[in-house]
Amino acid sequence: MEPFFDFLGQYWWLIFPLFGVMSAVGGAWERGARRRHKRRLEVLHAKAELKAAARGQAVAAASLPPVTSPTATTVGGPQASRETQATQLERLFATHDAVTHRWLEYELDVAKIIAFPAMSDGRQPLTAAFLRAKRIADGLRPASPKARLTKEQLAEYRNAVADFEVAFDVAERDARRLKDSSFTEVERKRLDTAKQLLTVAIDQAATPAERQLAYRRVRQELDGLISLSDGAIEVLESKVSLELPSPAQAEKGTDAAPARPSTTPPPAAATPSSGPQADAAPQPQPQPAPWPIPARSAGDPAPPGRVIHPKSHP
């Protein structure tokens, strides 16, 4: 023990810097714990608000009789219980569909995909958590509001919808905060070019050739940066191919269909004649025939198709 006490007697002043280091480490750990606790409270608070809203909108607590025994039922019997559960499922379905619609706006709109690429990037932790919550909520969703569920199944689906909504809100806020900060300067320039070309690709005033060229350039600029889903590509192609008819095409579309070209050969030109009879009596117009028929002159003694050889004179 003597060497230890000798060391303390010579280096007792090291206590002060060590105390400062330990204080800094403890303060950092405490601040981190407070932040984690605050986030956990925010998530729990959002879940509690959603659960309370679902319960308050579905069933009014003051309208229910007090439960005095395990066999007690609500007023109205099983029918009222089924209506209450159906109402709760309708509320949950509405919330589920609303969040899904908000997510599809980021998934199918190429302009939003370029502006907030983190929402379509599964490598982002918050986006991946949202996608997992969506899969769980979709898997627990009943077929219809009239489906009969147990209390445990209804509570499980309610919690899944709450997690789904909270995860989407957190992922959306993070994506709007990040924007394109995860890309390099060169990649951000390519994204800006894609934004400008996208406005031309969906511009109704541009010509079809300009739209198609801008669409191909957009796909080239986004290649390797952002992966577009099949649904987003279909929506974009429908916008690019949309074309307003020109006034000439609209007027042409209202007219009657063009006449079918006739296969009847043109009549033989009449020889010009002089005299009053030629001026007074108009020539009758030939009737159109369904198929070309060989014409026969007035001087032919035989019907068409028969060959007559002249007789030889002795």
Side-chain angles (χ1 to χ4, degrees):
M1 297 295 294
E2 292 181 0
F4 177 72
F5 288 111
D6 293 339
F7 176 80
L8 290 180
Q10 295 178 2
Y11 299 100
W12 58 270
W13 52 270
L14 291 176
I15 297 176
F16 299 101
L18 290 176
F19 180 77
V21 172
M22 293 177 64
S23 300
V25 172
W29 182 84
E30 185 178 0
R31 288 191 298 271
R34 288 180 179 176
R35 286 195 301 268
R36 290 190 297 270
H37 182 66
K38 183 178 179 181
R39 292 177 182 176
R40 191 177 297 108
L41 289 178
E42 290 178 355
V43 173
L44 292 177
H45 182 66
K47 290 182 179 180
E49 286 183 351
L50 184 61
K51 293 179 182 179
R55 287 196 299 267
Q57 294 174 357
V59 183
S63 62
L64 296 178
V67 179
T68 57
S69 65
T71 58
T73 57
T74 57
V75 176
Q79 183 66 24
S81 177
R82 286 195 296 270
E83 290 177 356
T84 299
Q85 186 182 89
T87 305
Q88 291 181 6
L89 286 177
E90 289 178 358
R91 304 289 184 183
L92 292 175
F93 281 4
T95 304
H96 194 163
D97 294 339
V99 179
T100 302
H101 179 71
R102 292 169 58 191
W103 170 69
L104 288 177
E105 291 180 355
Y106 290 96
E107 189 70 13
L108 300 180
D109 191 352
V110 180
K112 282 193 173 183
I113 294 176
I114 297 175
F116 311 106
M119 284 299 297
S120 58
D121 189 0
R123 296 172 298 179
Q124 296 290 335
L126 296 178
T127 305
F130 156 70
L131 294 176
R132 286 194 297 269
K134 180 182 182 302
R135 178 173 297 182
I136 294 174
D138 292 343
L140 295 176
R141 177 168 179 161
S144 67
K146 298 181 180 180
R148 296 184 179 181
L149 302 178
T150 62
K151 292 183 179 180
E152 291 76 12
Q153 291 175 341
L154 182 60
E156 188 177 8
Y157 177 59
R158 186 186 298 111
N159 295 334
V161 172
D163 294 340
F164 177 43
E165 186 177 17
V166 172
F168 177 80
D169 291 338
V170 174
E172 184 182 28
R173 287 197 298 267
D174 188 68
R176 290 181 176 273
R177 178 182 62 85
L178 291 176
K179 293 184 179 181
D180 57 355
S181 60
S182 59
F183 295 92
T184 62
E185 185 65 25
V186 178
E187 293 173 344
R188 283 196 289 269
K189 290 182 180 179
R190 291 177 58 185
L191 291 177
D192 293 338
T193 304
K195 290 179 185 178
Q196 298 174 3
L197 293 171
L198 184 61
T199 57
V200 179
I202 62 177
D203 187 6
Q204 297 296 327
T207 62
E210 292 174 347
R211 296 182 194 173
Q212 292 293 335
L213 179 60
Y215 167 73
R216 290 194 295 268
R217 289 286 308 279
V218 169
R219 295 293 303 274
Q220 292 175 1
E221 294 295 338
L222 296 181
D223 187 17
L225 297 181
I226 298 176
S227 178
L228 299 178
S229 61
D230 296 338
I233 294 175
E234 291 179 1
V235 172
L236 179 58
E237 289 179 351
S238 65
K239 293 181 180 179
V240 172
S241 61
L242 185 62
E243 181 180 359
L244 295 177
S246 61
Q249 292 177 350
E251 182 179 359
K252 185 177 180 181
T254 56
D255 297 336
R260 180 180 177 182
S262 177
T263 58
T264 305
T271 56
S273 60
S274 61
Q277 295 180 354
D279 297 334
Q283 296 294 331
Q285 297 294 332
Q287 297 295 330
W291 193 256
I293 299 176
R296 182 178 60 173
S297 62
D300 292 340
R306 181 178 178 182
V307 181
I308 299 177
H309 299 280
K311 296 182 180 180
S312 61
H313 297 279

